[in-house]
Short mmCIF file of all heavy atoms in Angstrom, two decimals:
data_model
loop_
_atom_site.label_atom_id
_atom_site.label_comp_id
_atom_site.label_asym_id
_atom_site.label_seq_id
_atom_site.Cartn_x
_atom_site.Cartn_y
_atom_site.Cartn_z
N GLU A 8 -29.93 -24.42 25.07
CA GLU A 8 -30.67 -25.45 25.85
C GLU A 8 -31.39 -26.32 24.82
O GLU A 8 -32.04 -25.83 23.91
CB GLU A 8 -31.72 -24.76 26.76
CG GLU A 8 -32.71 -25.69 27.44
CD GLU A 8 -32.01 -26.72 28.29
OE1 GLU A 8 -31.43 -26.38 29.33
OE2 GLU A 8 -32.11 -27.96 27.94
N ASP A 9 -31.17 -27.67 24.95
CA ASP A 9 -31.77 -28.56 23.98
C ASP A 9 -33.17 -28.95 24.31
O ASP A 9 -33.94 -29.41 23.45
CB ASP A 9 -30.91 -29.80 23.73
CG ASP A 9 -30.68 -30.59 25.01
OD1 ASP A 9 -30.49 -29.93 26.10
OD2 ASP A 9 -30.72 -31.81 24.96
N ASP A 10 -33.57 -28.82 25.60
CA ASP A 10 -34.97 -29.14 25.99
C ASP A 10 -35.85 -28.04 25.56
O ASP A 10 -35.80 -26.91 26.06
CB ASP A 10 -34.98 -29.32 27.50
CG ASP A 10 -36.34 -29.72 28.03
OD1 ASP A 10 -37.34 -29.15 27.56
OD2 ASP A 10 -36.40 -30.58 28.91
N ASP A 52 -26.68 -24.76 28.91
CA ASP A 52 -26.94 -26.10 29.46
C ASP A 52 -25.69 -26.96 29.16
O ASP A 52 -25.04 -26.81 28.12
CB ASP A 52 -28.16 -26.71 28.74
CG ASP A 52 -28.50 -28.07 29.22
OD1 ASP A 52 -28.27 -28.36 30.41
OD2 ASP A 52 -29.00 -28.90 28.43
N LEU A 53 -25.34 -27.87 30.05
CA LEU A 53 -24.14 -28.68 29.82
C LEU A 53 -24.42 -29.91 28.97
O LEU A 53 -23.59 -30.32 28.17
CB LEU A 53 -23.49 -29.09 31.16
CG LEU A 53 -22.75 -27.96 31.89
CD1 LEU A 53 -21.98 -28.54 33.06
CD2 LEU A 53 -21.81 -27.15 31.01
N GLY A 54 -25.61 -30.53 29.18
CA GLY A 54 -25.91 -31.74 28.40
C GLY A 54 -26.53 -31.35 27.08
O GLY A 54 -27.74 -31.02 27.03
N LEU A 55 -25.72 -31.32 26.01
CA LEU A 55 -26.20 -30.81 24.72
C LEU A 55 -25.89 -31.83 23.61
O LEU A 55 -24.85 -32.49 23.68
CB LEU A 55 -25.51 -29.49 24.37
CG LEU A 55 -25.90 -28.26 25.15
CD1 LEU A 55 -24.96 -27.10 24.76
CD2 LEU A 55 -27.33 -27.88 24.90
N PRO A 56 -26.69 -31.91 22.57
CA PRO A 56 -26.30 -32.74 21.44
C PRO A 56 -25.17 -32.15 20.64
O PRO A 56 -24.91 -30.97 20.75
CB PRO A 56 -27.60 -32.74 20.56
CG PRO A 56 -28.66 -32.06 21.35
CD PRO A 56 -27.99 -31.25 22.42
N LEU A 79 -26.14 -24.50 33.33
CA LEU A 79 -27.27 -25.22 33.89
C LEU A 79 -26.89 -26.69 33.94
O LEU A 79 -26.45 -27.26 32.93
CB LEU A 79 -28.51 -25.05 32.95
CG LEU A 79 -28.86 -23.62 32.58
CD1 LEU A 79 -30.07 -23.61 31.65
CD2 LEU A 79 -29.17 -22.77 33.81
N LYS A 102 -30.65 -27.90 37.94
CA LYS A 102 -32.03 -28.13 37.54
C LYS A 102 -32.71 -29.05 38.59
O LYS A 102 -32.10 -29.99 39.00
CB LYS A 102 -32.09 -28.82 36.17
CG LYS A 102 -31.63 -27.97 35.04
CD LYS A 102 -31.67 -28.78 33.75
CE LYS A 102 -31.12 -27.98 32.59
NZ LYS A 102 -31.07 -28.78 31.33
CA1 LIG B 301 -29.81 -30.86 28.05
#
Side-chain angles (χ1 to χ4, degrees):
E8 170 60 66
D9 59 320
D10 182 317
D52 181 33
L53 287 189
L55 290 173
L79 309 178
K102 293 178 183 176

